Amino acid sequence: MSIYTTFDQAITYNESEIKTLFANAKGWEGKYRQIMLLGKQLPALADEYKQDTHLVKGCESQVWLHFQIQDEKNRGYQFAADSDARIVKGLVIVILAAFNHKTAQQISDFDIEGYFAELDLLKHLSPSRSNGIHAIVQAIREI
Amino acid sequence: MSIYTTFDQAITYNESEIKTLFANAKGWEGKYRQIMLLGKQLPALADEYKQDTHLVKGCESQVWLHFQIQDEKNRGYQFAADSDARIVKGLVIVILAAFNHKTAQQISDFDIEGYFAELDLLKHLSPSRSNGIHAIVQAIREI
Amino acid sequence: MSNPNSIEHIRQDFVILDQITTNDCPLVYLDNGATTQKPRVVIDAITDFYRQNNANVHRGAHYLSDKATKAFEQSRTTVQHFINAPHAKQIIWTKGTTESINLVAASWGQQNLNKGDVILLSEMEHHANIVPWQLLAAKTGVVIEPIRLKANFTLDMDHYRSLLKLAPKLVAITHVSNAIGTVNPIKTLINMAKEAGAVTMVDGAQAISHFAVDVQQLDCDFYVFSGHKIFGPTGIGVLYGKEALLQDMPPWQGGGEMIDKVSFDGTTFNDLPYKFEAGTPNIAGAIGLAAALNYLNQYDRKQLHQHEVQLFHHVFDWMTRQPNIRVYASRDNNAAILSFAIIGEHHQDIGTLLDQQGIAVRTGHHCTMPLMSVLGVAGTVRLSFSIYNNQADAQAFIIALEKVLELLG
Amino acid sequence: MSNPNSIEHIRQDFVILDQITTNDCPLVYLDNGATTQKPRVVIDAITDFYRQNNANVHRGAHYLSDKATKAFEQSRTTVQHFINAPHAKQIIWTKGTTESINLVAASWGQQNLNKGDVILLSEMEHHANIVPWQLLAAKTGVVIEPIRLKANFTLDMDHYRSLLKLAPKLVAITHVSNAIGTVNPIKTLINMAKEAGAVTMVDGAQAISHFAVDVQQLDCDFYVFSGHKIFGPTGIGVLYGKEALLQDMPPWQGGGEMIDKVSFDGTTFNDLPYKFEAGTPNIAGAIGLAAALNYLNQYDRKQLHQHEVQLFHHVFDWMTRQPNIRVYASRDNNAAILSFAIIGEHHQDIGTLLDQQGIAVRTGHHCTMPLMSVLGVAGTVRLSFSIYNNQADAQAFIIALEKVLELLG
Ligand SMILES: Cc1ncc(COP(=O)(O)O)c(C=O)c1O
Ligand SMILES: Cc1ncc(COP(=O)(O)O)c(C=O)c1O
């Protein structure tokens, strides 16, 4: 499986679809069930793409992040990521739904705090949490 | 001046004379005036007896302490001491009035806390004070 | 303390426990291995110090500095008696276990160890008892040999015996494992080390809050622990050492208080314990720690520990009945600390889902990466009990974990 | 703050000041150079932390540890802004000034200095900025050269200039003398050091509580200070360093938190600032220090310092009119710290007799023995003013000293 296949697969959701999904999730259990359902849909990175150099620093779980410029003209980015933790996988979909296909400028303009707040997932973004979500967002923003 | 002269001079006061002096001292000022008057009466050690090896450790001021067995039969001790601080000098007289001519056993039996308490000088005996009175008493007791 | 009333009594001294966390769940604090909570008397001791007695110690000759110095030195004596040290001057204040070990490694280690000398640690050591020795090894060429762990989570005594044949200069070992709770047979380990001629250092960070420690009975050369893990403040710890060893050791850090005389031509050093206490110490920290020890001294510590172990057994026994749970801990000789995994699941997911239910546990490598690699895992979920945990905490944990199993299932 | 009402307002935040000491005298605290008192908000910040948020930082993934970590890292940011550091990761938590200097000496010093390399200190340094370099010198053979003091209590700039010709690798100098109050021309000293190619370290222990410090404006390589001398708790201090220098420096102490990966085969280290923060930090200490800095930030610090200097001038001018008093301090460029002696009398006697009247001053060598020997004394009596001292304190001191003069006379 080439990494490009993975990139194609990863872009299933967009931001508003994610918002709808979470709006319908009931309570913390519903929300976490939803996160883990999403996580199951994250295409696995082939082992050869799980290199240490692609590990995101500052995550307690392992998170590998790849990206490519999707289209030379618009310079939108495509991301592929994987993790060994289920909740992180789900949250990766949440993040990529917001960032995928966007340009560096669009990524930096995007109000990720507002987005996570609307999903009621804001605490996951805290730099003082060791789950690494903050680190993933940072890594994407620093690309 | 020989150190033996000094020893002879140092024994002017005894314990009960000291108690009487302090009983008559009014307030803290009276007490400190008394201490400093006593201090003036402490015979100065000649410079050759102010050796570093005779310095009492743990005093902020310098205190030199010498002793000799006074009399082979009763094994009482005679002390000579000096300091560069006036209050310490006075307190040295207070201490020596209690310890001079006593045997090691008598010194260790002597209730120095009670004595200082009666004189209302107890706080000077605190090991947490840097005035060194505690250190002098310790040094004498460890002879 | 099997009397639940006494525990509820103790619990009330720890006001922090009575709070609502995530999703309106009450706090269930089972992260005591990371740090313990502080009883009211400890907080009050700190507050009182700053409101009434605050001054720098040893240096002043005034009323306040006298009060502060008295309280500070009295705290040292409290620690002395708590671990039954022969003399207060053998109690050196440090920042915590980590600094205590670094002090021993930098001062005693640099002076006494040479290239090729062997140090024995164990595979279950906390990084605090590994990295300082590795830093020393990088400087001096000493050789570190880890004592192996057996499948039952205890040290391999045969392996230890064989390593002792290397005539190690030092055996530095933890009293209790912070990750898997094992209580090491420390007296035996020390005796054997002594027979082999080794100096011994015991990392008491996890032991000290669970049972009485008597350094003279153990006859170890160094014993170290942290205040914050025994109901005391952060930023204070203890190094106990045998007097002869401490006397011979060179100072480590330089500054005020640790000196006798300073001049640009040469400097001489103060006596014990001050020789190792450069700079203004954590005065309020020392006083708070003493308050914590005095608090513990009120109780029958054996009973308190029985109570912790009872809770531990309750959870342990329930876990071993769950097909999907793997426990990393032995039921016996355990200080009420337990690591586990849900098979096939990431420890972080478990921690997150427990946190959603107000359960505070620790997930990860617990600063014991070599141990994790021996166990063949990247990390675990760790539960660690303390004197204020009650049956309701244990039960809340089990119910929460059942929910996690269901969500992940 | 020349408005006395504001000072009385500030005073009320420091509850410790309102107390009766020896012989029923109210406390007059003029020992601020040794340690400062803590405003209510600092004590409350510590109490609140232990009552609501106490958990170990960084390591947990639960509600409490998240709260504790946030508060702890927010405190680092508060310090960063307080000294205008470019980045929070350049703020390293230590135990205090002494540990900060020891860290620089052990890590940067051992890595960068070799036999024969020259270090410039000054004759007015605190032992904390002398002994760590002497310990380093004993290990590495670096040569320490003290910059001389002039009769007017300022550094001899000609001598400094001539010492710079030795191409020193480091100039480590105090911003303010703790014994005589001199405010050194630190910006000039740093500029000259830089031109000579030296790394610069500033001991800010006494400066930081008196005026604003901007490390970017100073352009020093390291700046260090203690929490307890700026209204914060004991057991916490700061090392600021330029990022490139800190990045290159090897770790000093080993343990948890400062590592990336640990194995018995080899260990790698964490990024800044954690690389230098082994073990559980003084979490409550950091939070308390941030509360102290936030407290100060409410005020116009220039006005506060003007007020301190006004009190200092009042006492200074009175003293210089007394025939039997010798003042060791310059009236200008002074941070409101003053040493003095009564001619022919021992400083300890003066301190004792002031203490009898509730006046807290410090007597002795003030951890500056080389300076004392330059001044030709064994010690002095030191007064040091802080923001909460008022005219009544200054007056009470003068009256008390008049009494001392009378008693000794
Ligand atoms: C100028 C100076 N440097 C260093 C120190 C040492 O500070 P600490 O004892 O807080 O480490 C002090 C205070 O005693 C000081 O005044
Ligand atoms: C066994 C053990 N040793 C050492 C340490 C380090 O203690 P501290 O972080 O308080 O220095 C810990 C705690 O984390 C521990 O559990």
Side-chain angles (χ1 to χ4, degrees):
Chain A
M1 183 178 65
S2 114
I3 195 159
Y4 296 99
T5 332
T6 307
F7 278 119
D8 293 342
Q9 289 171 344
I11 54 169
T12 4
Y13 288 94
N14 68 31
E15 205 191 312
S16 72
E17 282 164 346
I18 294 286
K19 285 182 184 170
T20 312
L21 284 177
F22 278 86
N24 294 330
K26 294 245 155 32
W28 73 268
E29 296 175 57
K31 198 151 62 207
Y32 279 87
R33 273 190 224 278
Q34 184 58 65
I35 293 170
M36 289 189 289
L37 279 175
L38 286 174
K40 282 192 182 148
Q41 297 169 53
L42 186 70
L45 273 184
D47 280 348
E48 68 241 58
Y49 296 109
K50 293 184 175 171
Q51 306 106 314
D52 278 5
T53 48
H54 284 270
L55 273 175
V56 178
K57 257 201 148 176
C59 305
E60 195 179 302
S61 52
Q62 293 184 289
V63 178
W64 298 267
L65 179 70
H66 289 264
F67 64 93
Q68 64 178 11
I69 304 266
Q70 162 187 19
D71 143 5
E72 274 305 321
K73 200 141 148 271
N74 300 315
R75 301 200 64 79
Y77 279 97
Q78 264 183 320
F79 298 95
D82 199 356
S83 168
D84 55 352
R86 282 164 72 171
I87 295 172
V88 174
K89 272 187 183 172
L91 292 173
V92 161
I93 293 224
V94 171
I95 296 170
L96 294 198
F99 286 151
N100 232 344
H101 310 304
K102 298 216 163 124
T103 63
Q105 188 58 46
Q106 286 170 320
I107 288 173
S108 106
D109 287 349
F110 185 77
D111 176 16
I112 188 86
E113 270 84 20
Y115 175 57
F116 267 70
E118 192 174 333
L119 301 175
D120 196 17
L121 293 173
L122 192 56
K123 67 167 171 260
H124 288 285
L125 252 191
S126 161
S128 53
R129 290 265 168 182
S130 54
N131 60 15
I133 301 305
H134 179 81
I136 299 171
V137 169
Q138 279 298 105
I140 291 178
R141 285 188 153 160
E142 279 166 14
I143 278 170
Chain B
M1 185 178 63
S2 117
I3 194 159
Y4 295 100
T5 333
T6 307
F7 279 118
D8 293 341
Q9 290 172 342
I11 52 169
T12 4
Y13 288 94
N14 68 29
E15 204 192 312
S16 69
E17 284 164 344
I18 295 286
K19 285 183 185 170
T20 312
L21 285 177
F22 278 86
N24 294 330
K26 295 244 155 34
W28 72 268
E29 297 174 55
K31 199 151 60 209
Y32 279 88
R33 273 190 223 278
Q34 184 58 67
I35 292 170
M36 289 188 288
L37 279 175
L38 285 175
K40 282 192 181 148
Q41 298 169 53
L42 186 70
L45 272 184
D47 280 349
E48 67 242 58
Y49 296 109
K50 294 185 177 172
Q51 308 105 316
D52 278 4
T53 48
H54 284 269
L55 273 174
V56 177
K57 258 202 147 175
C59 304
E60 195 180 302
S61 51
Q62 292 183 292
V63 178
W64 299 269
L65 180 70
H66 289 263
F67 64 95
Q68 65 178 11
I69 304 266
Q70 162 187 21
D71 140 7
E72 272 308 320
K73 200 139 147 272
N74 302 313
R75 303 199 62 79
Y77 280 97
Q78 265 183 318
F79 299 95
D82 199 358
S83 169
D84 54 353
R86 283 164 71 170
I87 295 172
V88 174
K89 272 188 183 172
L91 292 172
V92 161
I93 291 220
V94 171
I95 296 170
L96 293 197
F99 285 152
N100 232 347
H101 310 303
K102 297 219 165 120
T103 64
Q105 188 58 45
Q106 287 170 321
I107 288 172
S108 106
D109 288 348
F110 185 77
D111 176 16
I112 187 87
E113 271 84 19
Y115 175 57
F116 267 71
E118 192 175 332
L119 301 174
D120 196 18
L121 295 172
L122 192 56
K123 66 167 172 261
H124 288 286
L125 251 190
S126 162
S128 52
R129 290 265 168 180
S130 54
N131 60 14
I133 301 304
H134 178 81
I136 299 170
V137 168
Q138 278 298 104
I140 290 178
R141 285 189 154 158
E142 279 165 16
I143 279 169
Chain C
M1 284 312 120
S2 22
N3 179 355
N5 289 332
S6 324
I7 294 301
E8 293 315 310
H9 197 84
I10 287 180
R11 242 181 123 77
Q12 280 165 24
D13 293 330
F14 293 81
V15 289
I16 195 174
L17 296 174
D18 185 20
Q19 71 171 285
I20 299 300
T21 73
T22 332
N23 301 319
D24 295 327
C25 297
L27 173 65
V28 176
Y29 188 74
L30 297 172
D31 194 17
N32 295 291
T35 201
T36 52
Q37 299 304 338
K38 321 305 171 202
R40 213 182 300 264
V41 287
V42 168
I43 303 174
D44 288 350
I46 298 167
T47 307
D48 290 352
F49 172 71
Y50 285 132
R51 292 174 66 102
Q52 293 163 26
N53 303 333
N54 178 62
N56 211 326
V57 292
H58 304 302
R59 308 184 176 187
H62 56 75
Y63 175 83
L64 268 193
S65 72
D66 185 40
K67 286 208 286 180
T69 305
K70 268 198 189 110
F72 179 70
E73 288 304 333
Q74 181 54 48
S75 301
R76 199 190 298 275
T77 308
T78 302
V79 172
Q80 177 207 339
H81 293 144
F82 193 78
I83 61 171
N84 193 30
H87 199 284
K89 68 182 162 197
Q90 294 168 268
I91 305 299
I92 316 287
W93 298 116
T94 64
K95 230 174 358 183
T97 307
T98 303
E99 195 190 24
S100 297
I101 298 174
N102 278 280
L103 196 167
V104 175
S107 171
W108 181 87
Q110 293 238 27
Q111 185 178 49
N112 293 285
L113 300 179
N114 299 304
K115 193 167 154 61
D117 284 347
V118 172
I119 293 177
L120 301 192
L121 308 176
S122 89
E123 285 184 340
M124 64 168 85
E125 296 311 312
H126 188 281
H127 295 162
N129 196 26
I130 299 175
V131 186
W133 305 112
Q134 290 182 326
L135 294 176
L136 181 70
K139 278 188 187 148
T140 61
V142 301
V143 178
I144 297 170
E145 295 287 348
I147 308 163
R148 280 200 292 258
L149 197 73
K150 291 203 298 186
N152 66 0
F153 307 109
T154 66
L155 290 181
D156 182 338
M157 296 301 279
D158 291 336
H159 188 232
Y160 181 45
R161 212 165 280 119
S162 74
L163 288 176
L164 285 175
K165 299 212 178 90
L166 303 173
K169 289 278 164 63
L170 173 76
V171 175
I173 225 160
T174 196
H175 200 160
V176 166
S177 158
N178 66 306
I180 54 176
T182 309
V183 182
N184 285 317
I186 199 72
K187 180 72 189 147
T188 309
L189 294 166
I190 292 167
N191 286 347
M192 290 166 69
K194 289 196 167 298
E195 269 169 38
V199 164
T200 54
M201 195 208 75
V202 180
D203 174 353
Q206 292 294 335
I208 195 90
S209 66
H210 293 296
F211 43 76
V213 167
D214 180 333
V215 292
Q216 294 194 64
Q217 186 262 323
L218 290 182
D219 201 27
C220 53
D221 293 301
F222 300 106
Y223 198 95
V224 297
F225 64 95
S226 302
H228 73 97
K229 291 188 198 278
I230 184 167
F231 315 111
T234 53
I236 189 77
V238 169
L239 164 62
Y240 157 82
K242 287 211 174 144
E243 189 177 341
L245 283 168
L246 292 175
Q247 294 286 12
D248 278 356
M249 283 158 58
W252 177 37
Q253 296 189 34
E257 197 68 17
M258 56 71 75
I259 55 90
D260 174 32
K261 286 205 172 62
V262 174
S263 87
F264 283 110
D265 300 326
T267 287
T268 53
F269 303 112
N270 204 338
D271 296 332
L272 288 177
Y274 309 110
K275 179 171 76 171
F276 295 113
E277 295 180 355
T280 302
N282 186 351
I283 308 168
I287 289 169
L289 174 53
L293 303 185
N294 286 330
Y295 177 81
L296 270 180
N297 280 336
Q298 300 174 75
Y299 296 104
D300 178 340
R301 295 197 61 199
K302 278 214 180 94
Q303 283 193 353
L304 292 181
H305 188 47
Q306 266 167 25
H307 164 75
E308 297 169 332
V309 169
Q310 214 171 285
L311 300 179
F312 161 74
H313 281 161
H314 181 74
V315 172
F316 186 99
D317 293 343
W318 175 82
M319 278 191 174
T320 50
R321 290 194 301 269
Q322 311 307 309
N324 292 332
I325 293 184
R326 171 112 174 73
V327 177
Y328 301 99
S330 78
R331 194 180 190 279
D332 299 327
N333 287 318
N334 189 303
I337 299 170
L338 162 173
S339 266
F340 74 94
I342 299 178
I343 292 163
E345 300 298 340
H346 197 283
H347 50 84
Q348 185 184 288
D349 290 333
I350 304 166
T352 303
L353 295 172
L354 287 171
D355 177 49
Q356 290 299 314
Q357 303 173 73
I359 315 280
V361 295
R362 193 172 160 205
T363 63
H365 55 66
H366 316 296
C367 297
T368 56
M369 284 190 186
L371 173 60
M372 294 297 117
S373 111
V374 169
L375 299 178
V377 295
T380 67
V381 182
R382 180 189 72 183
L383 257 76
S384 45
F385 292 94
S386 189
I387 56 171
Y388 39 66
N389 289 122
N390 58 13
Q391 194 60 34
D393 288 341
Q395 211 45 46
F397 169 79
I398 289 175
I399 290 168
L401 195 59
E402 279 174 334
K403 170 69 75 184
V404 173
L405 287 163
E406 182 212 315
L407 282 168
L408 293 173
Chain D
M1 284 312 120
S2 23
N3 178 356
N5 289 332
S6 325
I7 293 302
E8 292 315 311
H9 196 82
I10 287 179
R11 242 180 124 77
Q12 281 165 25
D13 292 329
F14 294 80
V15 290
I16 195 172
L17 297 175
D18 184 21
Q19 71 171 283
I20 299 299
T21 75
T22 331
N23 301 319
D24 297 326
C25 297
L27 172 64
V28 176
Y29 189 75
L30 297 172
D31 195 17
N32 296 289
T35 200
T36 52
Q37 300 304 339
K38 323 304 171 200
R40 214 183 299 265
V41 287
V42 167
I43 303 173
D44 288 350
I46 298 167
T47 308
D48 290 351
F49 173 71
Y50 284 131
R51 293 173 66 101
Q52 294 163 25
N53 303 333
N54 177 61
N56 211 324
V57 291
H58 304 302
R59 308 184 175 186
H62 55 76
Y63 175 83
L64 268 193
S65 71
D66 184 41
K67 284 207 289 180
T69 304
K70 268 198 188 111
F72 179 70
E73 289 302 334
Q74 180 55 48
S75 301
R76 199 191 297 275
T77 308
T78 302
V79 173
Q80 175 207 340
H81 293 144
F82 194 79
I83 61 170
N84 192 30
H87 199 284
K89 69 181 162 197
Q90 294 169 266
I91 305 300
I92 316 288
W93 297 118
T94 64
K95 231 175 356 187
T97 306
T98 302
E99 195 189 25
S100 298
I101 298 175
N102 278 278
L103 196 167
V104 175
S107 172
W108 180 86
Q110 293 238 25
Q111 186 179 48
N112 293 285
L113 299 179
N114 298 304
K115 192 167 155 61
D117 284 347
V118 172
I119 292 178
L120 302 192
L121 308 176
S122 88
E123 284 184 341
M124 65 166 84
E125 296 310 313
H126 187 281
H127 295 162
N129 197 26
I130 298 175
V131 187
W133 305 112
Q134 290 182 326
L135 294 176
L136 181 71
K139 278 187 188 148
T140 61
V142 301
V143 177
I144 297 170
E145 295 287 349
I147 308 163
R148 280 200 292 259
L149 196 73
K150 291 202 298 186
N152 66 359
F153 307 108
T154 66
L155 290 180
D156 182 339
M157 297 302 277
D158 291 335
H159 187 232
Y160 181 45
R161 212 165 281 119
S162 75
L163 287 175
L164 285 175
K165 298 213 179 90
L166 303 174
K169 290 278 164 63
L170 174 76
V171 175
I173 226 161
T174 196
H175 199 160
V176 166
S177 158
N178 66 306
I180 54 176
T182 309
V183 182
N184 285 317
I186 200 72
K187 180 72 189 146
T188 309
L189 294 167
I190 292 167
N191 285 347
M192 289 166 69
K194 290 198 167 296
E195 269 170 37
V199 164
T200 54
M201 197 207 73
V202 180
D203 175 353
Q206 293 294 336
I208 195 88
S209 66
H210 293 295
F211 43 76
V213 167
D214 180 332
V215 291
Q216 294 193 65
Q217 187 262 323
L218 291 182
D219 201 26
C220 53
D221 293 302
F222 300 106
Y223 198 94
V224 298
F225 64 95
S226 301
H228 74 98
K229 289 187 198 278
I230 184 168
F231 315 111
T234 54
I236 189 78
V238 169
L239 164 63
Y240 156 82
K242 287 212 175 144
E243 189 177 341
L245 282 168
L246 292 175
Q247 293 287 11
D248 278 356
M249 282 157 59
W252 176 38
Q253 297 190 36
E257 197 70 14
M258 54 71 76
I259 55 91
D260 173 33
K261 287 204 173 61
V262 174
S263 88
F264 282 109
D265 300 327
T267 287
T268 54
F269 303 113
N270 203 339
D271 297 332
L272 287 178
Y274 309 111
K275 179 171 79 170
F276 294 113
E277 294 179 356
T280 302
N282 186 353
I283 308 169
I287 290 169
L289 173 53
L293 303 184
N294 286 330
Y295 177 81
L296 270 181
N297 280 335
Q298 300 175 74
Y299 296 104
D300 177 339
R301 297 196 61 199
K302 278 214 181 94
Q303 282 194 353
L304 292 181
H305 188 49
Q306 266 168 24
H307 165 74
E308 298 168 332
V309 169
Q310 213 170 289
L311 301 179
F312 161 76
H313 282 160
H314 181 76
V315 173
F316 186 99
D317 294 343
W318 175 82
M319 279 192 173
T320 49
R321 291 193 300 268
Q322 310 308 309
N324 291 332
I325 293 185
R326 170 113 174 74
V327 178
Y328 302 98
S330 78
R331 195 180 190 278
D332 298 326
N333 287 319
N334 188 304
I337 300 170
L338 161 175
S339 265
F340 73 93
I342 299 178
I343 292 162
E345 300 298 339
H346 197 282
H347 50 85
Q348 185 184 288
D349 289 333
I350 303 165
T352 302
L353 295 172
L354 287 171
D355 177 48
Q356 290 299 314
Q357 303 173 75
I359 315 280
V361 294
R362 193 168 161 210
T363 63
H365 54 66
H366 318 295
C367 297
T368 55
M369 285 189 186
L371 173 61
M372 294 298 118
S373 111
V374 169
L375 299 178
V377 296
T380 68
V381 182
R382 181 189 72 182
L383 257 77
S384 45
F385 292 94
S386 189
I387 56 171
Y388 38 68
N389 288 123
N390 57 14
Q391 192 62 32
D393 288 342
Q395 208 46 45
F397 169 79
I398 288 175
I399 291 168
L401 195 59
E402 280 175 334
K403 169 71 72 183
V404 173
L405 287 164
E406 178 212 318
L407 282 168
L408 293 172

